[in-house]
């Protein structure tokens, strides 16, 4: 569904701001005004992509009205509620910018932080994540989030304080190479780092919610945690499937040997008649599982090998990096 | 492409699978109906392994005209392939998919076209006062109820061989196998606006009574496929993981039981078949779960071709 890339005029677009919106009729206008205010200070071209994620209120109508007064605006209306990740990906796929900034549609993020993110990016990063250092949410939301962040940080090896913050800046080729689905947006940095992207964070402003209701509930907490578990597994297994499956199969190898030797011992020392036989079968079952897992691992290597999971191009950036790093030292 | 092609409003795609004598009548009726409502139309016939029959029919009737297009697939293949083929050569904005014979009256078909407004993407007819035998009605009702329950659709008559869809629906919905009956369900999952309109049942040519075993088996496999695809194609681990954990839990439970017995009543462990069963269940659980993991790897590394979102409108300046 990629529409043809038409670039008006001669200057290619440098920045795309992608905002997923779900039932945000009160916020849209204010949000756009704030973005435009910041936009006036930019010395490059940019576009604002508002993605209506199947809203049931007037969000899309308002976006359509705003388009007359805002030449930078691009609007996408999704057929159904596809979730924040789906909406973001729809925005990415239709963006033209070299850099993509995502933010929440509920006015809790501050667009005036964008220049800071871009500045940080120039230091040689592919992804700059916002960190809501002074978060303006109720304790009951902050605490599970803290715990989740801690776990993500430890398990994925990408160390950020705040994965859930929507305000993030990505180099376009980085984020477009990710296969995002489900509820993955908080794992973008972790997944991108798999393809070699360099990730960092900067503290950003955070405002309390003014309009609408928060779209988070208690069942979300469970979902986020099961996602953390699943995505960690996927990341680990996708980078080296055979290794992953081999690790899983190791206990079965041990059990095979264990039951096998029991069976031999039973035979040698003339245990109760049935024992040796049962242990032999148990050993065979475990051996089967062991082989099965190894076979799946090999199949996994084949799958990953034929995939288009590409590593991000870093050539151009490396030069800049080195310079900055040298200065730092 | 000439000018008249561009304005075609309706395309009728007929999937010709069975050889019925009054086939030419069906074409004529469509023809008459569309001439009457004065909208530009075309009729696309896709012969699914019935090329000889179609040629004969076309030769018989010389009055077929420029509205007619015919394409033949040499061997019988899946309905999805036929539909794609017909869709590719069709030009209409609204597409009427029809089976080998007329199942609802022409009047009610025209009524369906009238109720196809801007707010509709797909209409499926719901046959009222069905003329087929009670047993068939019962089977059909049960089938639809099962699909409604398992897949969460809202349709009451998926088996009707007529479906009216907007072009976008066929463009954006993946169809495979013989699943064109499920088109409304798949489209609804994509966010298309579906409608079900009550219609007059005209005639029934399909088999009555019990179908063959393979027919039932196919239907069950279809439902399972649909269930997996609509719920878990993005997260196979949840599906296989849940299934696998059930086995593992059974295994662990059995194992615990045996060892508790050993602990409290000194019952020997080594030569009990429950031990073997427990090990078997645990191994099975691990195997099933790990298939889910492989599925997850596939979804993750090859998933980009499949979009999670469908765009209704887009503007840029």
């Amino acid at each position: 569904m990629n529409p043809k890339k038409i670039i008006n005029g001669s200057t290619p677009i440098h920045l795309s701001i992608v905002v997923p919106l779900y039932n945000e009729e009160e916020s849209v206008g204010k949000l756009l005004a704030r973005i435009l205010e910041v936009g006036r200070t930019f010395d490059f071209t940019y576009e604002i992509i508002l993605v209506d994620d199947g809203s049931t209120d007037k969000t899309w109508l308002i976006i359509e009205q705003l388009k007359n007064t805002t030449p930078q605006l691009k609007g996408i209306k999704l057929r159904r509620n596809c979730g924040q990740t789906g909406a973001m990906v729809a925005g990415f796929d239709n963006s033209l910018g070299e850099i993509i900034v995502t933010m929440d549609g509920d006015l809790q993020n501050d667009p005036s932080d964008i220049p800071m993110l871009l500045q940080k990016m120039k230091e040689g990063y592919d992804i700059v994540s916002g960190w809501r250092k002074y978060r303006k949410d109720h304790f009951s939301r902050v605490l599970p989030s803290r715990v989740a962040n801690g776990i993500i940080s430890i398990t994925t090896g990408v160390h950020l304080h705040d994965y859930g913050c929507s305000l993030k800046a990505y180099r376009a080729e980085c984020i477009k190479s990710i296969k995002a689905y489900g509820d993955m947006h908080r794992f973008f940095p972790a997944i991108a780092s798999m393809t070699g992207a360099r990730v960092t964070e900067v503290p950003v402003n955070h405002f309390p919610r003014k309009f609408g209701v928060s779209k988070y509930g208690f069942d979300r907490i469970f979902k986020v945690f099961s996602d953390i578990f699943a995505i960690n597994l996927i990341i680990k297994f996708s980078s080296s499937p055979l290794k992953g499956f081999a690790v899983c199969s190791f206990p079965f190898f041990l059990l095979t040997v264990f039951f096998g030797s029991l069976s031999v011992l039973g035979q040698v020392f003339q245990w109760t008649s049935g024992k040796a036989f049962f242990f032999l079968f148990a050993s065979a079952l475990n051996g089967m599982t062991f082989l099965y897992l190894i076979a799946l691992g090999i199949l996994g290597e084949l799958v990953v090998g034929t995939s288009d999971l590409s590593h991000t191009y870093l050539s151009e950036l490396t030069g800049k990096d080195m310079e900055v790093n040298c200065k730092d030292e | 492409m000439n000018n008249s092609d561009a304005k075609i409003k309706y395309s009728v795609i007929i999937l010709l699978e069975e050889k019925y004598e009054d086939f030419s009548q069906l074409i004529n009726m469509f023809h008459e109906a569309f001439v009457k409502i004065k909208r530009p139309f075309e009729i696309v016939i896709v012969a699914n392994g019935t090329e000889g029959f179609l040629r004969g029919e076309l030769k018989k009737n010389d009055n077929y005209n420029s509205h007619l297009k015919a394409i033949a697939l040499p061997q019988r293949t899946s309905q999805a392939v036929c539909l794609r083929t017909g869709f590719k050569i069709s030009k209409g904005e609204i597409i009427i998919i029809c089976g080998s014979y007329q199942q609802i009256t022409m009047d009610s078909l025209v009524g369906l076209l009238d109720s196809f407004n801007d707010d509709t993407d797909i209409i499926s007819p719901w046959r009222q006062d069905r003329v087929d035998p009670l047993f068939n009605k019962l089977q059909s009702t049960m089938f639809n109820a099962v699909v409604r329950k398992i897949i969460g659709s809202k349709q009451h008559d998926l088996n009707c061989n007529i479906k009216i869809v907007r072009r976008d629906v066929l463009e954006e919905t993946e169809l495979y196998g013989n699943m064109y009956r499920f088109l409304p369900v798949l489209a609804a999952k994509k966010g298309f606006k579906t409608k079900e309109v009550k219609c007059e049942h005209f005639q029934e040519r399909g088999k009555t009574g019990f179908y063959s075993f393979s027919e039932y088996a196919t239907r069950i496999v279809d439902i399972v496929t649909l269930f997996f695809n609509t719920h878990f194609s993005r997260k196979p681990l949840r599906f296989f993981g849940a299934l696998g954990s059930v086995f593992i839990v059974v295994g662990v439970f059995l194992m615990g039981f045996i060892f508790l017995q050993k602990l409290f009543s000194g019952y020997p462990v080594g030569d009990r078949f429950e031990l073997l069963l427990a090990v078997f269940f645990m191994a099975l659980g691990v195997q099933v779960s790990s298939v889910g993991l492989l599925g997850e790897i596939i979804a993750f590394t090859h998933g980009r071709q499949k979009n999670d979102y469908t765009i209704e409108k887009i503007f840029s300046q």
Side-chain angles (χ1 to χ4, degrees), chain A residues 262-325:
Chain A
L262 277 185
S263 154
V264 171
L265 283 179
Q267 203 60 266
V268 172
F269 294 108
Q270 303 281 308
W271 288 350
T272 343
S273 56
K275 268 184 185 159
F277 171 76
F278 278 122
F279 285 137
L280 185 67
F281 263 78
S283 169
L285 272 175
N286 281 299
M288 232 171 70
T289 310
F290 165 71
L291 285 179
Y292 180 82
L293 288 175
I294 296 291
L296 278 190
I298 293 169
L299 200 57
E301 286 289 339
L302 192 69
V303 169
V304 173
T306 57
S307 82
D308 51 349
L309 186 73
S310 58
H311 287 246
T312 320
Y313 271 119
L314 298 169
S315 54
E316 184 214 348
L317 294 160
T318 333
K320 285 185 212 158
D321 261 0
M322 302 305 285
E323 252 170 63
V324 174
N325 287 344

Side-chain angles (χ1 to χ4, degrees), chain A residues 138-300:
Chain A
H138 190 256
F139 180 69
S140 65
R141 270 197 61 190
V142 177
L143 185 69
S145 168
R146 281 260 167 85
V147 177
N149 285 325
I151 296 173
I152 299 175
S153 173
I154 293 165
T155 51
T156 61
V158 177
H159 303 298
L160 299 178
H161 286 93
D162 186 2
Y163 297 85
C165 179
S166 299
L167 185 61
K168 290 191 176 87
Y170 305 92
R171 216 167 283 283
E173 72 255 20
C174 247
I175 192 68
K176 284 181 181 172
S177 69
I178 291 181
K179 338 255 155 213
Y181 54 90
D183 215 358
M184 270 192 183
H185 60 274
R186 70 181 67 232
F187 300 97
F188 281 160
I191 299 170
S193 77
M194 218 180 120
T195 64
R198 286 147 304 180
V199 183
T200 189
E201 67 184 347
V202 286
V204 294
N205 291 327
H206 190 239
F207 303 119
R209 199 175 171 90
K210 274 190 193 137
F211 303 107
V213 267
S214 172
K215 279 115 201 168
Y216 296 85
F218 270 110
D219 54 330
R220 267 198 70 84
I221 297 173
F222 171 74
K223 236 191 130 232
V224 167
F225 282 104
S226 70
D227 274 357
I228 293 175
F229 175 71
I231 286 169
N232 267 307
L233 266 183
I234 297 165
I235 292 176
K236 300 252 153 66
F237 273 76
S238 296
S239 30
S240 47
L242 186 53
K243 195 176 147 199
F245 279 107
V247 169
C248 288
S249 72
F250 190 64
F252 292 95
F253 176 71
L254 288 184
L255 281 173
T256 312
V257 174
F258 174 68
F259 283 119
S261 38
L262 277 185
S263 154
V264 171
L265 283 179
Q267 203 60 266
V268 172
F269 294 108
Q270 303 281 308
W271 288 350
T272 343
S273 56
K275 268 184 185 159
F277 171 76
F278 278 122
F279 285 137
L280 185 67
F281 263 78
S283 169
L285 272 175
N286 281 299
M288 232 171 70
T289 310
F290 165 71
L291 285 179
Y292 180 82
L293 288 175
I294 296 291
L296 278 190
I298 293 169
L299 200 57

Side-chain angles (χ1 to χ4, degrees), chain B residues 42-247:
Chain B
E42 63 176 358
I43 299 174
V44 179
I45 306 171
V46 186
N48 190 8
T50 50
E51 190 182 349
F53 171 73
L54 179 62
R55 276 184 197 284
E57 287 293 315
L58 290 177
K59 230 175 264 170
K60 251 194 272 173
N61 266 27
D62 284 337
N63 57 356
Y64 290 147
N65 44 40
S66 60
H67 294 297
L68 201 70
K69 284 178 189 165
I71 192 163
L73 299 166
Q75 275 153 358
R76 192 168 263 271
T77 149
S78 71
Q79 285 174 341
V81 172
C82 295
L83 203 52
R84 288 261 158 260
T85 315
F87 176 65
K88 249 180 229 164
I89 61 168
S90 72
K91 300 223 164 66
E93 182 195 322
I94 292 167
I95 291 168
I96 299 135
I97 306 164
C98 178
S100 314
Y101 65 96
Q102 190 189 350
Q103 216 169 30
I104 60 172
T105 57
M106 240 354 127
D107 288 341
S108 49
L109 184 79
V110 172
L112 290 183
L113 294 180
D114 287 340
S115 53
F116 200 103
N117 51 23
D118 285 345
D119 244 3
T120 319
D121 293 311
I122 178 162
I123 287 190
S124 70
W126 181 3
R127 289 168 291 172
Q128 301 292 304
D129 302 322
R130 291 180 62 154
V131 295
D132 45 346
L134 182 71
F135 184 67
N136 279 42
K137 276 187 263 184
L138 198 69
Q139 284 188 126
S140 183
T141 315
M142 263 173 60
F143 170 76
N144 281 293
V146 168
V147 175
R148 276 203 305 278
K149 189 85 197 153
I150 294 180
I151 317 291
S153 75
K154 292 192 176 69
Q155 307 289 326
H156 293 86
D157 190 7
L158 288 170
N159 296 321
C160 184
N161 71 7
I162 290 208
K163 307 266 183 279
I164 304 174
V165 299
R166 202 177 285 285
R167 223 181 155 73
D168 308 348
V169 176
L170 284 178
E171 249 158 32
E172 288 176 34
T173 313
E174 298 99 18
L175 272 183
Y176 28 78
N178 284 324
M179 293 178 85
Y180 109 83
R181 70 180 74 233
F182 293 114
L183 190 57
V185 182
L186 291 168
K189 290 274 173 204
K190 284 249 165 189
F192 287 102
K193 297 178 193 94
T194 56
K195 232 194 214 176
E196 195 172 43
V197 179
K198 292 179 180 172
C199 281
E200 213 177 319
H201 194 186
F202 181 58
Q203 58 173 353
E204 199 59 51
R205 293 280 177 75
K207 211 176 164 207
T208 54
F210 279 106
Y211 296 115
S212 65
F213 171 73
S214 77
E215 187 79 13
Y216 289 113
T218 314
R219 215 51 83 231
I220 290 169
V221 171
D222 278 353
I223 293 177
V224 173
T225 312
L226 195 64
F227 177 67
F228 185 80
N229 274 317
T230 50
H231 289 72
F232 296 105
S233 68
R234 278 305 195 175
K235 33 184 192 228
L237 188 57
R238 300 252 162 103
F239 178 77
F240 288 105
L243 199 64
S245 337
V246 171
F247 290 129

